[in-house]
Every structure is written in structure tokens, then in C-alpha cells.
Amino acid sequence: KAGVTQTPRYLIKTRGQQVTLSCSPISGHRSVSWYQQTPGQGLQFLFEYFSETQRNKGNFPGRFSGRQFSNSRSEMNVSTLELGDSALYLCATSTILNSPLHFGNGTRLTVT
Amino acid sequence: AQTVTQSQPEMSVQEAETVTLSCTYDTSESDYYLFWYKQPPSRQMILVIRQEAYKQQNATENRFSVNFQKAAKSFSLKISDSQLGDAAMYFCAYRISNFGNEKLTFGTGTRLTIIP
């Protein structure tokens, strides 16, 4: 079974630009969560989607948004990039209630 | 709000020895899950072990075991017979047991070094 696939693996953008990251879950996984990992703030929850609906949202500004498609694939978008958005963005997926999360390898975003 | 604290930023252990990583958490919930995740340089977070709060028995997965003290809100990870492949960042995490809430709250991590 293929694991959680995140694309791209690396991304370099300049301030003010926008970026879209993609996450393809393990087959059968319908819940997709996103996390931001930085040296200063650690791992922080961004949002979670299930059946194309956002169920939870972390404490991030509105520049961070996401969506989930009918095939459970998810994208997150960051608009008007700031230097502080440089981070590793991790996607995690699961089947249903209380099943373990499976993480992808992440997308390393660098904002210059 | 739930918080997870890992007080050991770095730990080291000789190969084949045993090491214990500490984790404490704060919550007002009675039903929840606790996890240990491992993040090697490849960046992928790998689930090491999971504990349901309603279970008194400590979880065990091969060389990995936990000491879950619910009243003390403590959840330590013991790695026996340490191997070079165990070198990684280890994160303790908490999740409420509630449908519709997959949010994990992570600690700041412990970097584990294995000395050959």
C-alpha cells in the first residue's frame, strides 16, 4: 500500500507570493490533517478535513487555507507569503474515528 | 487547553542499553489518546506506540514500552536494547478521544543519539 504522498518535497518562494501544497492520502483514508513544523514553534496544527469538510482549524491567520477533494486528496494554500512561513509542512491521514495518523514526508517551504 | 511537555531536549544512550524519554501533559479530559512519534532525518513522522487513557495496562511494541501514570499525567517511553536506527527526534503527542477531532498536540521533542 502506498503511503501518504506530499508534493512537492521542496519549494522556494519569495515574500508576497502564494503557494499550494498537495497531499494524497493512503487509499481508504478519508481524514487529512495539516501541520506546520518550525524550530521555534515546533509542530502546530493547521486544519483537518473529512469528506471535503473542514472539521477543525488551528490558530493560524486567514492566509492559510485548505480544501479536500472528493477523492480525499487535499491541498493547502498560503497566500501573501511571509518569511515566517518558512517551515516543514506535514500532512497526516487516517481512516476514521480514533485510528492512528500516518504522516507524509512533508514539504519544505523556504520563503526568501 | 491541552499542553504536552518534554523536558529533555536531548538524550544519548549507548547502543544496546536502555533509555527513558519523559513526557507530561495537562488536560481536563478523562478520555484521550497518547502517542510517541519518531522523526528521523528523512522527516517522516512514524508512530512508535499508542496508549488509550482508559486502559490501565501500559502499551508495549517490541523494544518500546510506556509507563503511563494517568493521575500524574505522565507518559514516558522506554527503549530497550537501543539500536543505531533508533536515533531520531521523538515527539510525545496527545489527542482527545472525540469523533471529529483528529488534532494532535505535540511536545517540543527529544533528540535521541545512539552511541556505538
Side-chain angles (χ1 to χ4, degrees):
Chain A
K1 215 177 203 183
V4 178
T5 303
Q6 289 189 247
T7 56
R9 288 213 69 188
Y10 300 92
L11 208 48
I12 300 175
K13 292 286 187 179
T14 56
R15 276 181 299 176
Q17 287 186 314
Q18 76 164 19
V19 67
T20 299
L21 312 181
S22 178
C23 173
S24 294
I26 294 171
S27 177
H29 285 201
R30 296 171 60 193
S31 171
V32 178
S33 303
W34 290 89
Y35 291 82
Q36 181 196 64
Q37 185 176 21
T38 61
Q41 299 297 319
L43 282 149
Q44 293 188 290
F45 172 78
L46 279 156
F47 27 65
E48 185 226 336
Y49 289 87
F50 183 84
S51 292
E52 302 178 66
T53 301
Q54 186 181 90
R55 295 198 299 189
N56 269 302
K57 190 177 191 305
N59 189 24
F60 278 82
R63 300 185 298 106
F64 291 81
S65 63
R67 59 177 175 169
Q68 186 181 33
F69 301 95
S70 58
N71 62 357
S72 295
R73 190 177 71 85
S74 177
E75 289 181 347
M76 68 162 281
N77 184 76
V78 188
S79 63
T80 318
L81 283 166
E82 301 176 359
L83 294 178
D85 297 333
S86 295
L88 178 66
Y89 290 88
L90 291 165
C91 168
T93 74
S94 65
T95 52
I96 53 172
L97 172 64
N98 294 330
S99 59
L101 293 182
H102 296 260
F103 283 81
N105 284 328
T107 294
R108 171 79 65 190
L109 171 65
T110 301
V111 182
T112 61
Chain B
Q2 294 85 12
T3 59
V4 178
T5 302
Q6 293 179 250
S7 59
Q8 306 154 314
E10 296 184 354
M11 291 281 285
S12 61
V13 63
Q14 293 276 353
E15 194 176 359
E17 296 295 308
T18 296
V19 64
T20 299
L21 308 184
S22 301
C23 173
T24 58
Y25 60 94
D26 188 25
T27 182
S28 57
E29 302 291 336
S30 59
D31 200 10
Y32 50 87
Y33 292 86
L34 295 164
F35 307 84
W36 279 98
Y37 278 90
K38 166 185 175 181
Q39 187 178 39
S42 67
R43 308 181 329 199
Q44 184 178 21
M45 298 284 279
I46 301 165
L47 178 64
V48 174
I49 201 164
R50 175 172 95 152
Q51 175 79 43
E52 291 93 336
Y54 68 87
K55 289 187 178 178
Q56 292 187 340
Q57 186 173 7
N58 290 322
T60 299
E61 287 288 343
N62 301 313
R63 299 181 294 107
F64 299 88
S65 61
V66 298
N67 183 4
F68 173 48
Q69 302 288 329
K70 191 172 184 179
K73 295 181 181 174
S74 170
F75 183 61
S76 60
L77 174 70
K78 185 172 84 171
I79 306 174
S80 304
D81 185 26
S82 298
Q83 300 175 359
L84 294 178
D86 296 333
M89 282 291 290
Y90 285 80
F91 292 94
C92 179
Y94 163 99
R95 188 178 85 193
I96 189 172
S97 177
N98 180 20
F99 180 70
N101 192 341
E102 301 286 317
K103 174 187 174 182
L104 282 172
T105 300
F106 286 92
T108 51
T110 297
R111 182 176 302 280
L112 178 64
T113 301
I114 311 296
I115 304 167

